[in-house]
Structure formats: structure tokens, C-alpha cells
């Protein structure tokens, strides 16, 4: 059974801007299904595509099945079946031997930056980098599937 244990955090923008980071990858991703209990996502970069099925989150854990698919098929699925989409630049940063994926959102979600870390268990210890601020793991508005329907530009801050 596929399982994802993921925690999400917001970024300290001034610390993030000072950070020496690798070039990011551009992602286009869309949702064939966005239901509170499950999502079906298609994602593509310049070189590859993926089909991902995710279950309901229980704490920071949920079922996840991800399959690499041909780039052309990812583009066709996005163009013909995606209900909602978003774009982002993903930076992968290793801190204290853990991989952090930092998503800098584009388009209607521009201005939002979210960092994610995948863990082996919900109580696995890890060091929080100084460019991280508050945890938002349990706030559904930060789920990518929700950002396609309720983009950051429409939030009342």
C-alpha cells in the first residue's frame, strides 16, 4: 500500500531570499478529481509526467499512489481532463539530511510559498531550517487541490 506522510510549512520570505538555492523545476499540475476524500492529479515538468491518486488525510498521513507516465500523455490529460490547474516552481533543498520541497506558486497563487517535508512516521524528528515559519499541515486551504479552486489571490489577508 502506498503511503505519504507529509508536513507543510510557510516560509520566512527574507530568510528564503538570502538562501543559496538550486534552480527550480517548473510544474504544471491539474486535477481530474478533487473530492474531500480523494484526488486524482496529473503533473508534468519539461521532461516527465505523473499520475497521482491520493486518499483522505488522517493527521499528516494519507494513501498515495504515483505513476510516471509519458510526457505527451500527461499533456493530453491536462488539456482534456483537468478540471482545475496550477503552476509552480519547485526547489529541492537538503537541510540536516532531509529533503525539503519548496513550492513557489505562480499565476493566481503568486506570492504563496510552501515548504513540504516527507517523513517515515508522523513522529519522526527533524530539524526545522531558519527559513521556515509556521506549520500549516492541517490547514486545507494550503492543499494544492484547494489552491486550484480557491487561489491565494482571493484570500483575505
Amino acid at each position: 500500500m502506498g503511503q505519504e506522510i507529509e508536513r507543510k510549512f510557510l516560509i520566512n520570505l527574507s530568510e528564503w531570499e538570502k538562501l543559496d538555492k538550486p534552480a527550480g523545476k517548473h510544474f504544471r499540475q491539474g486535477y481530474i478529481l478533487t473530492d474531500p476524500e480523494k484526488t486524482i492529479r496529473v503533473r508534468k515538468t519539461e521532461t516527465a509526467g505523473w499520475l497521482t491518486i491520493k486518499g483522505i488525510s488522517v493527521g499528516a498521513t494519507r494513501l498515495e499512489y504515483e505513476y510516471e507516465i509519458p510526457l505527451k500523455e500527461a499533456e493530453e490529460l491536462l488539456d482534456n481532463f483537468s478540471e482545475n490547474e496550477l503552476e509552480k516552481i519547485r526547489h529541492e533543498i537538503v537541510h540536516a539530511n532531509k529533503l525539503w520541497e519548496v513550492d513557489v506558486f505562480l499565476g493566481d497563487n503568486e506570492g504563496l510559498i510552501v515548504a513540504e517535508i516527507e517523513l517515515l512516521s508522523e513522529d519522526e524528528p527533524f530539524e526545522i531550517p531558519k527559513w521556515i515559519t509556521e506549520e500549516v499541515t492541517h490547514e486545507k486551504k494550503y492543499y494544492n487541490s484547494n489552491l486550484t479552486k480557491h487561489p491565494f489571490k482571493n484570500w483575505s489577508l
Side-chain angles (χ1 to χ4, degrees):
M1 180 179 339
Q3 179 175 283
E4 172 188 60
I5 302 170
E6 178 181 83
R7 292 177 61 183
K8 292 179 180 271
F9 298 84
L10 296 180
I11 296 294
N12 175 320
L13 191 54
S14 62
E15 292 294 331
W16 172 250
E17 289 174 351
K18 291 188 258 181
L19 185 66
D20 183 26
K21 49 195 159 290
K25 289 183 185 174
H26 181 265
F27 284 59
R28 175 184 172 205
Q29 68 185 46
Y31 291 83
I32 295 171
L33 175 68
T34 54
D35 179 280
E37 295 186 12
K38 57 189 166 280
T39 60
I40 300 175
R41 176 186 76 202
V42 177
R43 175 185 281 171
K44 75 175 241 11
T45 64
E46 291 83 13
T47 59
W50 295 270
L51 179 66
T52 306
I53 302 164
K54 294 187 179 200
I56 190 168
S57 293
V58 178
T61 304
R62 63 181 162 182
L63 294 176
E64 178 185 64
Y65 301 90
E66 185 165 69
Y67 307 95
E68 188 166 348
I69 60 175
L71 181 60
K72 183 168 177 43
E73 289 181 19
E75 289 171 350
E76 289 172 356
L77 287 168
L78 285 164
D79 292 342
N80 295 303
F81 296 98
S82 175
E83 299 276 328
N84 306 298
E85 290 190 21
L86 61 76
E87 291 186 76
K88 60 189 177 182
I89 304 294
R90 172 165 286 174
H91 299 273
E92 294 185 344
I93 299 170
V94 175
H95 176 82
N97 296 316
K98 291 286 184 192
L99 177 64
W100 289 83
E101 296 175 331
V102 181
D103 291 337
V104 178
F105 289 90
L106 305 171
D108 289 345
N109 291 297
E110 187 169 345
L112 180 62
I113 304 175
V114 177
E116 301 174 348
I117 184 170
E118 289 197 23
L119 304 169
L120 299 175
S121 69
E122 287 206 29
D123 59 354
E124 178 182 350
F126 60 95
E127 182 180 307
I128 296 178
K130 68 180 181 179
W131 39 269
I132 294 290
T133 61
E134 69 182 288
E135 183 168 4
V136 294
T137 300
H138 304 294
E139 294 186 43
K140 291 183 174 38
K141 70 181 184 178
Y142 292 100
Y143 291 8
N144 282 224
S145 59
N146 286 335
L147 290 171
T148 64
K149 295 188 265 183
H150 306 288
F152 184 66
K153 74 173 189 174
N154 296 337
W155 295 7
S156 299
L157 299 177

